[in-house]
Amino acid sequence: MKNDLLREITPLTQSDCFTLFSRVKSDFDFPLHYHEEFELNFIENATGARRIIGDHMEEISSFELVLVGSNLQHGWFNHKCESKEIKEVTIQFHKDLFDEKFLRRNQLSFIRAMLEKSNRGILFSQETTMQVASRIKALNQKHGFDSVLELFSILHDLSTSRNMRILSDASFNNAEHFTYNSRRIGTAMDYLNNNFEKPISLTDVAKLVNMSDVAFSRFFKNRTGNNFIDSLIEIRLGHASRMLIDTTHTIGEIAYRCGFNNMSNFNRVFKKKKGCTPKEFRENYNAVGAGTRVFI
């Protein structure tokens, strides 16, 4: 079923802790999708909209705060919502932002439990949502380390809150539980993230971790759930998306700087993965009223 869904490749890079996207919009126009990053989504003034998280579907009320785990399909749709001033704050952060060893500390036990539960989607109570709403909406006004500390604080408060509700069926997202807890995978991913703009072959990376091509290809797929070429393409597209948002470089320059030496191939792969052309992607983000995105 996942093959029929949009796999969103976010502009979040390995150099970022999280990204925050805040906007006011008149409708929900993004299809059902999934991505590796965790997502905390706050929605205000969208009574009657429909939320789909995994295999769970329901109509939402005026305030909504949901934590979506890695690779869990999700989306919000207009349904019966008649509001033309929907307020939305989306925070996305890497699934390895909290290191596994770090999460084992006693003080992180509640956050660890919450992140595990988020693989089924978590809806926070109206009371909890009201308590943290102002902090979530003000997060883009903080900078650097202060913003990271505030995000951690918000997540901790959410993890200790009462009456959170698990949304999706327990078995729905099991196939998407992958671990990167491997020195070789860590080395490979670091190499891809640091050299994405250069020509990279599977042989290059296999040699780096002292494995044969065939063994490394199989090992990489088993550990990440993605084949090597697709992972490299997604890293390059993530950086390309970021440059389309943050810079005025031409699309040709961006393609070249992100390791794509063929423009037609870049356009084809980008549209296949993102559902639109690089030009359309840039225009959508630069549209008046599209909102503001902050990278930390």
Side-chain angles (χ1 to χ4, degrees):
M1 182 171 60
K2 277 283 174 71
N3 292 333
D4 298 325
L5 298 176
L6 173 65
R7 179 185 177 92
E8 182 187 2
I9 301 173
T10 72
L12 192 65
T13 72
Q14 286 297 317
S15 299
D16 304 311
C17 285
F18 69 92
T19 178
L20 182 150
F21 189 32
S22 177
R23 59 179 173 171
V24 177
K25 59 187 185 181
S26 60
D27 59 8
F28 294 98
D29 55 8
F30 203 68
L32 193 65
H33 65 286
Y34 67 106
H35 44 71
E36 288 194 345
E37 295 77 13
F38 286 92
E39 179 174 300
L40 184 65
N41 207 31
F42 169 76
I43 297 173
E44 183 179 0
N45 197 30
T47 302
R50 173 178 287 163
R51 175 200 341 105
I52 298 178
I53 305 290
D55 61 355
H56 180 88
M57 181 186 303
E58 73 178 343
E59 198 172 293
I60 74 172
S61 57
S62 58
F63 279 88
E64 170 99 341
L65 182 61
V66 171
L67 179 62
V68 181
S70 177
N71 288 315
L72 177 62
Q73 68 182 52
H74 59 282
W76 280 260
F77 306 92
N78 293 327
H79 191 45
K80 299 177 182 177
C81 179
E82 298 180 354
S83 172
K84 296 302 178 184
E85 194 173 336
I86 301 166
K87 298 178 182 179
E88 183 177 50
V89 179
T90 301
I91 301 169
Q92 295 173 332
F93 57 95
H94 294 291
K95 63 181 182 180
D96 61 358
L97 178 61
F98 294 93
D99 179 79
E100 288 185 21
K101 291 183 179 179
F102 184 45
L103 283 174
R104 293 193 194 111
R105 273 42 176 198
N106 291 334
Q107 293 79 6
L108 276 292
S109 61
F110 288 103
I111 289 182
R112 181 179 68 245
M114 180 179 71
L115 294 180
E116 291 172 352
K117 292 175 183 175
S118 73
N119 282 308
R120 297 167 59 188
I122 298 173
L123 174 67
F124 297 98
S125 69
Q126 288 282 299
E127 179 183 4
T128 298
T129 302
M130 295 288 284
Q131 288 174 349
V132 301
S134 61
R135 294 168 64 193
I136 289 175
K137 289 189 282 189
L139 188 56
N140 63 357
Q141 298 172 19
K142 293 185 177 292
H143 304 282
F145 191 58
D146 287 341
S147 64
V148 177
L149 286 178
E150 177 65 0
L151 175 61
F152 283 11
S153 178
I154 290 171
L155 291 174
H156 177 264
D157 288 348
L158 291 176
S159 72
T160 59
S161 66
R162 301 177 60 185
N163 302 321
M164 64 177 72
R165 183 156 63 95
I166 309 301
L167 299 177
S168 185
D169 183 76
S171 63
F172 186 81
N173 204 32
N174 283 348
E176 301 301 332
H177 292 174
F178 304 119
T179 176
Y180 290 176
N181 188 21
S182 161
R183 177 183 56 81
R184 284 173 167 166
I185 293 298
T187 299
M189 296 303 290
D190 285 344
Y191 183 82
L192 296 183
N193 278 292
N194 292 330
N195 298 277
F196 63 89
E197 76 283 4
K198 304 172 185 176
I200 298 176
S201 69
L202 184 144
T203 300
D204 295 333
V205 185
K207 287 180 179 178
L208 186 67
V209 296
N210 298 313
M211 296 179 73
S212 70
D213 290 10
V214 173
F216 175 70
S217 178
R218 186 182 302 115
F219 179 74
F220 191 93
K221 173 72 173 180
N222 288 339
R223 284 303 183 110
T224 68
N226 217 6
N227 68 46
F228 175 80
I229 294 299
D230 283 347
S231 292
L232 176 58
I233 288 173
E234 289 187 3
I235 287 171
R236 286 173 168 166
L237 287 179
H239 285 277
S241 300
R242 178 71 171 271
M243 292 180 72
L244 286 166
I245 295 170
D246 287 351
T247 76
T248 57
H249 297 319
T250 67
I251 293 174
E253 287 177 312
I254 291 172
Y256 179 76
R257 292 185 183 209
C258 293
F260 296 95
N261 295 321
N262 183 296
M263 270 300 295
S264 61
N265 180 57
F266 174 61
N267 283 318
R268 178 181 59 79
V269 171
F270 193 99
K271 186 169 184 177
K272 180 180 178 181
K273 293 286 187 178
K274 303 285 286 184
C276 62
T277 66
K279 181 181 178 181
E280 291 168 341
F281 180 87
R282 171 174 269 174
E283 289 173 348
N284 288 339
Y285 268 91
N286 291 338
V288 176
T292 57
R293 184 182 280 273
V294 177
F295 294 92
I296 304 297

